[in-house]
Amino acid sequence: MRRLAPALVLALSLPAGPALAQDTDLELVLLADSSGSISPDELMFQREGYAQAMTDPEVLSAIANTAYGEIAVSYIEWAAHQGQVVKWMRIGGAEDAQAFADQLLSAPRMAFGRNAIGAALLEAAWQIEANDIDGWRKVIDFSGDSAGNWSGPPIEAARDEVLAKGITINALPILRPDDPGRAQGGLEAIYEQRIIGGLGAFVVTAETRDSFAEAVKRKLILEISSSGMVGKRHAAAE
C-alpha cells in the first residue's frame, strides 16, 4: 500500500470548514534587539546569524515538511520604537530563503534608543494581524540582551494581550560576557517568567557570540516543526 507523505496526512487531518482558509503553516515575526546596547557590529552579527540560519539546509527541510510546505516571515528590529526590516515574505525553498537573507543583510538599521519590550511585542502582534496571510500557527520570536522596559506598556500586560490573540511568544536571550549575572542564567529565567507564553513556548539561549547562529537555527527548527515545540521550555545552544 502506498504511504502518504507526512505533510499530506497532516493536511488531510485538519478540520473542515473555516480552518481550510488558512494558506500557510506559520506566521513568524523575528523580533530582534536594536536598542542602545547593540552596537552596529553586533546588529550586523545578529542579522548574519538569522540570514545564515534561514538558509540552512536543516531549516529548509523543516519548512518543506510542514503541512503547507512554506512559512511566512517578517524581520522587525525593536528599541524605543520598531522598524520592519524585511516585510512579510513567504519562504518555501532555498531561493525564497536567500531572498530573505539578501534583504536582511542590505537594509539599514531600523530602530534606535532604549528598550520598549512591551511596545515591541504589541507591534509584532499587530503585524501578524494586519497582513493578508492566514497562518495555521502564529509565533513571535523575540530576542534581546536585557529585560529593561523604559517606555510604553508593561511587558507582562503586553504579553498577556498578545497571548489572548492566540499568538505564541518564544525568546532568545543573548548573554553578554561582561555581565556575569546573565551568564549564570538570570536573563533566561526573566524571559521565561515575563516574556514567553502560549502553546509550547520556549527559550533557547545564545550562550556566546560564537553560538548565536546555531541558537537561531535551533530555535527556528523548533518553531517551524510544530511537533518539536510541544513540551519545550528551555534549551541552550552549546
Side-chain angles (χ1 to χ4, degrees), residues 73-177:
V73 182
S74 177
Y75 190 98
I76 296 174
E77 288 176 344
W78 65 269
H81 63 284
Q82 309 83 39
Q84 191 176 31
V85 181
V86 180
K87 294 183 178 181
W88 285 103
M89 178 181 294
R90 294 177 184 268
I91 299 179
E95 186 175 343
D96 299 332
Q98 189 59 56
F100 171 88
D102 291 344
Q103 288 192 35
L104 180 59
L105 296 177
S106 62
R109 186 170 189 152
M110 299 293 286
F112 302 86
R114 303 185 79 176
N115 288 14
I117 294 176
L121 294 174
L122 293 179
E123 172 65 17
W126 181 86
Q127 289 288 348
I128 288 174
E129 293 192 311
N131 65 33
D132 60 357
I133 300 165
D134 188 6
W136 177 33
R137 296 177 292 125
K138 306 174 193 299
V139 175
I140 296 171
D141 178 326
F142 176 89
S143 64
D145 69 352
S146 77
N149 197 55
W150 301 103
S151 62
I155 295 173
E156 290 85 353
R159 177 196 59 193
D160 292 347
E161 184 173 336
V162 172
L163 299 184
K165 300 176 186 293
I167 299 171
T168 294
I169 306 170
N170 300 322
L172 191 154
I174 304 169
L175 303 187
R176 299 177 65 92

Side-chain angles (χ1 to χ4, degrees), residues 37 49-50 63 80 92 101 109 113-114 119 170 183 196 207 209 225:
S37 63
Y50 279 98
I63 293 172
R109 186 170 189 152
R114 303 185 79 176
N170 300 322
I196 72 169
E207 300 280 3
R209 182 182 176 96
S225 305

Side-chain angles (χ1 to χ4, degrees), residues 26-86:
L26 171 67
E27 293 176 65
L28 177 64
V29 173
L30 303 175
L31 191 58
D33 195 346
S34 182
S35 62
S37 63
I38 305 296
S39 70
D41 286 346
E42 289 172 326
L43 184 87
M44 184 52 64
F45 182 79
Q46 287 183 176
R47 290 189 182 187
E48 289 170 350
Y50 279 98
Q52 178 181 328
M54 190 62 72
T55 55
D56 187 277
E58 291 184 53
V59 172
L60 294 175
S61 177
I63 293 172
N65 283 309
T66 62
Y68 295 82
E70 67 158 42
I71 63 174
V73 182
S74 177
Y75 190 98
I76 296 174
E77 288 176 344
W78 65 269
H81 63 284
Q82 309 83 39
Q84 191 176 31
V85 181
V86 180

